[in-house]
Amino acid sequence: MLNRPLISEPQEQQRQPLSFPPSLLNYLYVGHFLARWGARMWEFSVGLYMINVWPDSLALAAAYGVVESASTALVGPVVGRLVDKFTYIKVLRLWLLSQNFSFMIAGGTVVALLLYEDVKSENFIVFLSFILLINISGAVGGLSTLAGTILVEREWVVVISEGQHPGVLTKMNATIRRIDLVCKLFAPVVSGFIISFVSLTASALTLAIWNILSVCLQYWLLMSVYNGIPALSESSQKRVYRSLPTDSERSSLTDESRNSHYLGDNDLEPLDHGWMRKVIERISRISYFSAWKVYLEQDVVLPGIALALLYFTVLSFGTLMTAALVWQGIPAYIIGIARGISATIGILATFLYPVLESQLSTLRTGLWSIWSQWTCLVVCVASIWVPNKLGAAYLLMGGVALSRLGLWMFDLAVIQQMQDQVPESDRCVVGGVQNSLQSVLDLTTYVMGIIISNPRDFWKLIILSLLVVTLAAVLYSIHIYRVRKHLFHLEKLYPLVRIVFRST
């Protein structure tokens, strides 16, 4: 009794001080908030700008979504490779300058389009040039945001948490995701307020000014974090040494170049026979294909694919579902309130996840999360057979909002598994491919919306979305079974079953 510790081990770990000033974490969070706020403002506003520029068609808004998603899908693995190759400072500078400069150009171009309303009829080539510039700037801004996401969420968070008590990584992941959800909730509210009570031009001008003013503060905050935490500079130096060729690689390259000068006629025949192997080797060395190869070799490939599949859905408050709800007669303010409730539930998930993770483990938290999301989405499918149109719409919105709790907890669980299990040398590459895969499936959703474009057939997209979520849940369950050799503790369920039978 006397030897019993007064404080339990988990509580003692939580009270262990950090090896760096805690204020540096606040700097990291504020810098991440400033970057995400600008990106979320643009994400919400760009569709409204495009519709205002061409009121009679959704073509411009849809084209922008396709360009942005396709650019991330195609270039995402290369971005991850570059983030892994460059030093932290170089990635930080490229990220902040390209993201803020791109959104500044996009906002300025939108201002020009809105001020000169007759440019479409007077000079259509100039009009198309402006639209093209907006699409390119937005795509570059999206890729820059991806680089920042990989740097902060997949790299810095892991490096900072190394050597600290186990709860630090979980808490940092939850805080980073909470910041993103807060920006997703309130940035559209602020942008919508400016658009509704001032003007679209003022909104675009605000976006451009925001990116001009915030870039310096972001750089100072994140450089303070880099300079104040020695582990970051040490990890950055390791990247430099890792990118240099080893002595064996130098000698093999020298031997190959030397032997290439002394090939005789008899030596050409084996080379001709092995041309296919050499072509395959050269293709595998291309950044895009080598990045996918690294991703598919990871132990967490099934959880990553399961998370990416969740992006192939119309069961979110995105463009397609919003359009379907408006067609059913739901007022815009009701959809806005439902979207706010959905984001609030997502923020609640970031508080609940650390609690469940400490009790159940990361793997099991992911399992319970994705199946709870699936259960809520079954309610959305049930809304198809509700005869009252308004009742069906409210049931659909309720199911989607409730499903955000499981969705964002599953997102956090998969990200933490990747942080824990992916080697340091592959972390950025895997993050780039993961975001690329998610963009591919997000793009597929737009394509399905074009194929099934009649709002009366939206029920088909609802069922298809549930089937994809079911596939994601099954894939993750297979991963859990491969790792743990079981899904549930049946021996723990048996006493509960006995108690139920005794009570009846």
Side-chain angles (χ1 to χ4, degrees):
M1 192 73 178
L2 293 175
N3 295 330
R4 193 175 187 178
L6 297 176
I7 303 175
S8 64
E9 187 175 350
Q11 292 176 338
E12 189 176 359
Q13 287 178 344
Q14 293 292 333
R15 296 185 182 183
Q16 288 178 357
L18 298 172
S19 59
F20 50 84
S23 60
L24 293 177
L25 286 183
N26 294 329
Y27 285 4
L28 176 66
Y29 297 148
V30 174
H32 184 67
F33 168 80
L34 293 174
R36 297 305 297 166
W37 184 272
R40 290 299 186 185
M41 284 182 68
W42 172 253
E43 178 186 291
F44 172 77
S45 303
V46 63
L48 300 178
Y49 299 149
M50 294 299 188
I51 292 173
N52 183 268
V53 169
W54 200 319
D56 299 329
S57 175
L58 295 174
L60 292 183
Y64 178 84
V66 169
V67 169
E68 187 179 40
S69 298
S71 62
T72 305
L74 294 174
V75 190
V78 180
V79 171
R81 179 70 72 180
L82 292 177
V83 173
D84 182 63
K85 182 180 179 181
F86 293 156
T87 62
Y88 287 157
I89 293 180
K90 184 177 289 187
V91 175
L92 180 63
R93 290 171 178 169
L94 289 174
W95 159 38
L96 294 180
L97 287 176
S98 58
Q99 175 183 317
N100 289 276
F101 190 65
S102 299
F103 288 148
M104 181 189 69
I105 292 178
T109 308
V110 170
V111 171
L113 272 176
L114 295 175
L115 290 178
Y116 301 99
E117 299 178 355
D118 298 332
V119 67
K120 183 173 67 173
S121 57
E122 294 178 356
N123 197 330
F124 194 72
I125 295 178
V126 174
F127 173 77
L128 286 181
S129 300
F130 280 161
I131 296 298
L132 184 63
L133 183 59
I134 293 173
N135 279 267
I136 294 175
S137 300
V140 172
L143 291 173
S144 305
T145 303
L146 171 60
T149 300
I150 295 173
L151 179 68
V152 174
E153 296 185 12
R154 304 297 175 97
E155 189 70 18
W156 277 24
V157 168
V158 180
V159 174
I160 292 172
S161 64
E162 288 176 351
Q164 312 299 327
H165 60 79
V168 170
L169 178 59
T170 302
K171 185 177 180 181
M172 289 183 67
N173 282 330
T175 304
I176 291 291
R177 182 61 65 227
R178 191 177 306 134
I179 289 170
D180 188 32
L181 290 172
V182 167
C183 293
K184 189 174 183 178
L185 172 61
F186 290 105
V189 173
V190 174
S191 297
F193 181 84
I194 296 173
I195 292 171
S196 300
F197 294 97
V198 187
S199 66
L200 274 170
T201 305
S203 170
L205 191 60
T206 302
L207 177 69
I209 295 174
W210 170 272
N211 285 279
I212 294 173
L213 298 179
S214 65
V215 61
C216 297
L217 180 58
Q218 292 175 51
Y219 183 73
W220 178 79
L221 288 169
L222 296 177
M223 280 301 299
S224 299
V225 175
Y226 177 83
N227 294 325
I229 301 178
L232 291 176
S233 58
E234 293 171 2
S235 178
S236 186
Q237 287 297 323
K238 290 179 183 178
R239 288 162 153 257
V240 176
Y241 295 140
R242 192 171 67 234
S243 62
L244 296 175
T246 61
D247 294 337
S248 59
E249 290 174 344
R250 291 195 192 96
S251 61
S252 62
L253 290 173
T254 304
D255 294 339
E256 287 181 4
S257 62
R258 186 184 299 117
N259 293 335
S260 63
H261 295 289
Y262 297 101
L263 287 175
D265 294 336
N266 295 330
D267 297 323
L268 293 178
E269 187 176 354
L271 289 178
D272 291 337
H273 287 296
W275 69 271
M276 182 66 72
R277 180 175 57 84
K278 289 191 174 183
V279 169
I280 295 174
E281 289 178 357
R282 286 182 180 274
I283 291 176
S284 65
R285 290 174 185 171
I286 299 175
S287 296
Y288 186 85
F289 294 100
S290 62
W292 274 97
K293 181 181 178 183
V294 170
Y295 178 82
L296 295 174
E297 290 174 349
Q298 302 300 319
D299 294 334
V300 291
V301 63
L302 284 183
I305 293 175
L307 178 61
L309 285 171
L310 300 183
Y311 282 76
F312 182 29
T313 181
V314 297
L315 296 176
S316 66
F317 288 95
T319 305
L320 294 176
M321 180 171 156
T322 300
L325 290 172
V326 171
W327 177 80
Q328 289 181 340
I330 304 299
Y333 75 92
I334 294 293
I335 300 175
I337 292 174
R339 179 172 179 169
I341 294 173
S342 174
T344 304
I345 293 175
I347 295 172
L348 177 63
T350 64
F351 289 99
L352 184 59
Y353 171 76
V355 178
L356 291 180
E357 194 273 339
S358 63
Q359 300 294 325
L360 300 177
S361 79
T362 308
L363 280 171
R364 292 169 63 193
T365 301
L367 182 65
W368 286 102
S369 298
I370 192 168
W371 281 110
S372 66
Q373 179 192 0
W374 181 88
T375 303
C376 294
L377 294 181
V378 170
V379 176
C380 300
V381 175
S383 69
I384 297 173
W385 290 278
V386 175
N388 185 280
K389 186 179 293 186
L390 290 179
Y394 283 111
L395 192 61
L396 174 64
M397 289 189 290
V400 170
L402 290 175
S403 70
R404 303 302 94 174
L405 188 68
L407 169 66
W408 291 114
M409 285 198 296
F410 181 71
D411 175 82
L412 286 168
V414 173
I415 287 177
Q416 187 157 341
Q417 289 176 56
M418 288 185 169
Q419 292 169 337
D420 291 336
Q421 299 179 35
V422 175
E424 180 183 356
S425 59
D426 299 334
R427 199 179 294 144
C428 295
V429 177
V430 171
V433 175
Q434 179 66 35
N435 283 273
S436 174
L437 182 58
Q438 291 168 184
S439 296
V440 168
L441 290 160
D442 187 37
L443 177 62
T444 308
T445 305
Y446 283 105
V447 174
M448 291 304 301
I450 294 173
I451 296 174
I452 307 176
S453 58
N454 193 331
R456 292 183 177 85
D457 296 329
F458 189 72
W459 63 272
K460 298 178 182 178
L461 295 175
I462 293 176
I463 294 177
L464 180 61
S465 299
L466 181 67
L467 292 176
V468 174
V469 174
T470 304
L471 176 60
V474 170
L475 287 177
Y476 188 78
S477 300
I478 293 173
H479 172 72
I480 292 292
Y481 188 82
R482 286 171 55 185
V483 174
R484 304 178 71 233
K485 306 305 179 186
H486 65 276
L487 293 178
F488 305 103
H489 289 288
L490 297 178
E491 68 277 5
K492 294 183 179 180
L493 293 177
Y494 179 68
L496 180 62
V497 173
R498 290 182 59 187
I499 293 174
V500 171
F501 274 106
R502 285 179 180 177
S503 61
T504 55

